[in-house]
Amino acid sequence: DAGVIQSPRHEVTEMGQEVTLRCKPISGHDYLFWYRQTMMRGLELLIYFNNNVPIDDSGMPEDRFSAKMPNASFSTLKIQPSEPRDSAVYFCATSLLPSSGNTIYFGEGSWLTVV
Amino acid sequence: GDSVTQMEGPVTLSEEAFLTINCTYTATGYPSLFWYVQYPGEGLQLLLKATKADDKGSNKGFEATYRKETTSFHLEKGSVQVSDSAVYFCALSSRGGSQGNLIFGKGTKLSVKP
């Protein structure tokens, strides 16, 4: 399996622009997570889906952030409008039911810089 | 709520030194426990895991034992290498509450000098 695939790997954008990050999960995994990593706050869970349905979005920082999972093989995280404080690495991760001890597999991350 | 506390870094060791990174947890019930590693510029990778009390997870010379009595899952390696330089995250997956999530510690950065 190719693993969790994220795109773009790197993005530099200007403040105010819309940013869309994409994720293709491992086939058969019914849980999908979006995390954000910064030096100041470490690794934060933004939102997760089970069977394409958002289960917990309490980590989404504000209305500028939105996430969708239109089908089992694709998810997006959108920031509109972007701000410099959104600069971070955004990870997508997928798994089978984690509480059963299943491993969560991470993508290589999307490195976002907002200038 | 459930939480993970791991020792603050950074940790700097010489090659072949013994490594311990402490991790303790608070959880309802009996969680699964994980150590993830993040090499520079990469995503997190599972290093090892344990799903029940007294289980020992091991991989690449690293070990951690699930200790229910002390609610701990300390990571150890007998002889570190320069290639072990990375950030290490302890995590738990709760069987109660939000069953679809991993709760991570803040990470411990390890630097190994030749």
Side-chain angles (χ1 to χ4, degrees), chain A residues 9 31 33 35 37 41-43 45 48 55-56 89 91 95 97-109 111, chain B residues 30 32 34 36 38 40-46 49 51 87 89 93-96 98-106:
Chain A
R9 283 297 316 276
Y31 282 82
F33 306 84
Y35 288 90
Q37 186 178 37
R41 292 189 296 271
L43 199 61
L45 176 69
Y48 79 90
I55 303 300
D56 184 353
V89 185
F91 289 105
S95 75
L97 179 62
S99 62
S100 295
N102 290 298
T103 300
I104 292 182
Y105 293 87
F106 284 74
E108 293 190 328
W111 301 67
Chain B
Y30 304 98
S32 295
F34 304 79
Y36 278 80
Q38 184 178 28
E42 298 184 12
L44 280 71
Q45 306 171 27
L46 179 69
K49 68 179 180 182
T51 58
V87 181
F89 293 89
S93 176
S94 178
R95 298 187 189 279
S98 177
Q99 295 197 19
N101 187 20
L102 274 185
I103 296 170
F104 285 91
K106 293 188 180 299

Side-chain angles (χ1 to χ4, degrees), chain A residues 10-113:
Chain A
H10 298 274
E11 174 138 353
V12 179
T13 190
E14 291 185 346
M15 182 173 63
Q17 296 298 304
E18 178 179 291
V19 174
T20 300
L21 308 178
R22 298 173 177 81
C23 176
K24 177 177 167 56
I26 292 173
S27 178
H29 282 189
D30 49 5
Y31 282 82
L32 184 142
F33 306 84
W34 283 101
Y35 288 90
R36 176 172 69 177
Q37 186 178 37
T38 62
M39 290 291 292
M40 292 296 293
R41 292 189 296 271
L43 199 61
E44 305 172 278
L45 176 69
L46 301 178
I47 184 171
Y48 79 90
F49 296 82
N50 176 216
N51 291 321
N52 313 335
V53 176
I55 303 300
D56 184 353
D57 65 355
S58 59
M60 295 287 263
E62 49 197 274
D63 291 345
R64 298 185 297 107
F65 285 69
S66 62
K68 295 182 180 179
M69 193 165 185
N71 57 60
S73 57
F74 185 65
S75 177
T76 60
L77 178 67
K78 188 174 293 187
I79 308 172
Q80 167 63 21
S82 58
E83 298 182 2
R85 61 194 168 115
D86 301 330
S87 298
V89 185
Y90 292 82
F91 289 105
C92 177
T94 73
S95 75
L96 300 172
L97 179 62
S99 62
S100 295
N102 290 298
T103 300
I104 292 182
Y105 293 87
F106 284 74
E108 293 190 328
S110 291
W111 301 67
L112 174 65
T113 302

Side-chain angles (χ1 to χ4, degrees), chain B residues 39-89:
Chain B
Y39 298 102
E42 298 184 12
L44 280 71
Q45 306 171 27
L46 179 69
L47 180 60
L48 54 85
K49 68 179 180 182
T51 58
K52 61 183 188 296
D54 299 326
D55 270 2
K56 177 187 285 188
S58 61
N59 185 26
K60 299 181 181 179
F62 290 88
E63 294 183 339
T65 301
Y66 188 141
R67 302 283 188 200
K68 179 170 170 288
E69 62 277 12
T70 54
T71 62
S72 65
F73 193 55
H74 304 321
L75 182 68
E76 296 181 337
K77 186 174 185 180
S79 176
V80 294
Q81 305 300 313
V82 173
S83 57
D84 294 327
S85 298
V87 181
Y88 292 82
F89 293 89

Side-chain angles (χ1 to χ4, degrees), chain B residues 10-19 21 39 62 77 79-86 88 109-114:
Chain B
V11 174
T12 301
L13 296 174
S14 298
E15 207 164 21
E16 300 184 2
F18 184 86
L19 169 71
I21 301 177
Y39 298 102
F62 290 88
K77 186 174 185 180
S79 176
V80 294
Q81 305 300 313
V82 173
S83 57
D84 294 327
S85 298
Y88 292 82
K109 183 176 181 179
L110 170 66
S111 296
V112 181
K113 306 299 184 186

